[in-house]
């Protein structure tokens, strides 16, 4: 599994799309964690939020 912690926002949109497309093309799972605020409520929302897919 590929993982990215607090890093995807540093990439240009085109580069981020290529990273995700490469994971799809190679049939690899990918987990991306982008915490926005360091509060209990924010962390719980990030953990329990439904997936986009």
């Amino acid at each position: 599994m590929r993982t990215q912690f607090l890093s995807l926002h540093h990439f240009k949109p085109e580069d981020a799309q290529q990273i995700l497309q490469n994971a799809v093309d190679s049939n690899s799972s990918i987990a991306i964690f982008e915490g926005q605020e360091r509060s209990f409520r924010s962390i719980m929302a990030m953990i329990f939020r439904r997936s986009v897919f």
Side-chain angles (χ1 to χ4, degrees):
M1 173 185 277
R2 301 175 189 195
T3 56
Q4 288 193 331
F5 291 90
L6 304 173
S7 61
L8 192 66
H9 68 273
H10 290 288
F11 293 98
K12 294 178 185 176
E14 305 82 34
D15 295 335
Q17 184 175 3
Q18 287 180 349
I19 290 168
L20 296 172
Q21 188 62 56
N22 183 264
V24 170
D25 292 345
S26 63
N27 200 28
S28 299
S29 45
I30 187 168
I32 299 170
F33 302 91
E34 288 283 344
Q36 300 299 315
E37 183 181 317
R38 292 184 180 176
S39 69
F40 180 76
R41 182 177 179 182
S42 176
I43 293 168
M44 290 297 108
M46 183 176 59
I47 291 172
F48 294 108
R49 185 176 174 175
R50 290 187 354 200
S51 173
V52 176
F53 299 102

